[in-house]
Amino acid sequence: MSLVRCDGVVQIYRAQDVEVVALRDVDLTIAAGETVALLGPSGAGKSTLLWLLAGLLRPSAGRLWLDGADLGRLDQRRLDRLRATHIGMVLQNPARNLIGHLSAAQNVAFAQRAVRRDRRRARELLGRVGLADAADRPAGRMSGGEQQRLALAVALANAPRLLLADEPTSQLDEESGRRVIELVRDAAADGTTAVVVTHDPAVGEALDRTVTIRDGRVGAEGRRGEDFVVVGREGAVQVPPEYHHLLPPGSMARIEELQDGIALRRAEP
Ligand code: ADP
């Protein structure tokens, strides 16, 4: 069963009199328990998609479902409730996930306010991110790496159906990064679906599936080490950048029919 479904999602930011189309016609289905690495160049729209899935933004057009609920159409109270019970989020700037004057343990407890308080889970999570001895330290006094690990423990504190994490290993050394990946995979085994924006190849390799966003669209997907282009609405296909030397943007190609697909051959002008 799918936990997340995006159907023709468009996000347009309006700042003064300019409009930025951050996402255009994103179609994406994510199964319950699946772990997805969201890849793509900077400015492609990855964080925007994460914010939409978190219910922090409402799509300009198209629809998004989380666990059967249409996120764009819930009233604010229901959306807040769904977010507190169903979603755990790690924002890119780790300090923004935390309440600085509260201790690590209090931050985790606060994240459990909408669900049943579970001290054992809280302690276990702090241990899993290597902060067992830091439970009483104020979050605001921690290093960037410690805050990043604490932010993941906080995001998982309510045993969310959906974990959304933006670059959760960007400030971590290899060993801590590995523990973070392990924790995400273990959470998935317990039923938490994960969508992780990352530039870290180790994260991409460790998760079930990669989805590459380019220019606001789903351009490619990877599963078990194999990469595929995704045929979008109206048959649009993005030629991956590593083939631009053969088929540069703006070039014309001849289509050749094969038994099981088509080949594109550059037409000499
Ligand atoms: P990524 O996470 O892949 O780097 P983003 O989702 O942050 O991409 O941004 C996608 C596009 O939307 C970029 O062109 C970015 O400049 C623009 N953008 C993001 N947030 C805002 C905002 N709050 N207001 C205006 N433009 C924005």
Side-chain angles (χ1 to χ4, degrees):
M1 203 202 71
S2 68
L3 182 78
V4 170
R5 212 178 107 207
C6 301
D7 188 6
V9 167
V10 175
Q11 179 61 35
I12 301 172
Y13 292 109
R14 293 191 173 83
Q16 278 124 31
D17 43 4
V18 286
E19 288 191 349
V20 178
V21 182
L23 293 176
R24 46 193 106 211
D25 276 337
V26 169
D27 296 320
L28 185 65
T29 301
I30 301 173
E34 202 169 24
T35 57
V36 177
L38 214 51
L39 314 178
S42 167
K46 305 180 294 297
S47 302
T48 299
L49 183 54
L50 221 56
W51 278 58
L52 285 163
L53 294 175
L56 293 168
L57 282 175
R58 287 182 195 260
S60 311
R63 293 170 83 181
L64 268 109
W65 284 270
L66 169 61
D67 208 8
D70 184 339
L71 286 185
R73 297 189 180 185
L74 288 182
D75 63 44
Q76 196 57 44
R77 197 178 55 83
R78 288 221 178 105
L79 188 61
D80 290 345
R81 173 92 201 140
L82 187 78
R83 291 186 46 216
T85 55
H86 277 57
I87 296 174
M89 188 161 190
V90 179
L91 297 168
Q92 201 167 13
N93 174 354
R96 286 184 59 196
N97 298 285
L98 306 170
I99 303 168
H101 66 275
L102 295 186
S103 71
Q106 286 169 329
N107 268 280
V108 174
F110 185 73
Q112 292 178 330
R113 68 198 179 283
V115 294
R116 200 169 58 81
R117 179 92 178 268
D118 184 343
R119 285 174 207 274
R120 206 170 60 87
R121 179 177 178 82
R123 257 198 315 275
E124 190 206 321
L125 280 169
L126 286 174
R128 291 289 309 269
V129 297
L131 292 173
D133 298 332
D136 298 326
R137 273 174 55 206
R141 302 243 180 86
M142 292 182 160
S143 72
E146 286 171 326
Q147 287 181 340
Q148 201 162 38
R149 286 181 278 140
L150 176 57
L152 182 64
V154 166
L156 288 172
N158 61 346
R161 298 291 312 273
L162 180 62
L163 170 71
L164 302 165
D166 205 342
E167 299 278 3
T169 61
S170 61
Q171 301 187 38
L172 304 183
D173 58 40
E174 214 179 304
E175 170 60 24
S176 305
R178 221 177 359 252
R179 288 166 84 161
V180 160
I181 292 170
E182 227 167 75
L183 189 50
V184 170
R185 288 173 47 134
D186 287 353
D190 289 340
T192 293
T193 305
V195 181
V196 182
V197 172
T198 189
H199 286 104
D200 183 346
V203 177
E205 280 163 27
L207 303 190
D208 298 331
R209 176 175 167 201
T210 62
V211 171
T212 302
I213 310 283
R214 277 190 226 106
D215 197 23
R217 295 188 174 91
V218 176
E221 287 214 26
R223 283 166 207 256
R224 290 174 290 279
E226 207 180 344
D227 288 319
F228 305 93
V229 296
V230 174
V231 182
R233 296 191 171 207
E234 297 168 20
V237 167
Q238 287 183 350
V239 175
E242 60 269 31
Y243 295 109
H244 283 184
H245 66 291
L246 292 171
L247 273 178
S251 60
M252 291 204 288
R254 231 174 239 116
I255 296 176
E256 221 169 79
E257 194 174 321
L258 309 172
Q259 221 165 23
D260 54 353
I262 57 169
L264 296 177
R265 289 186 183 279
R266 188 176 60 223
E268 297 305 337

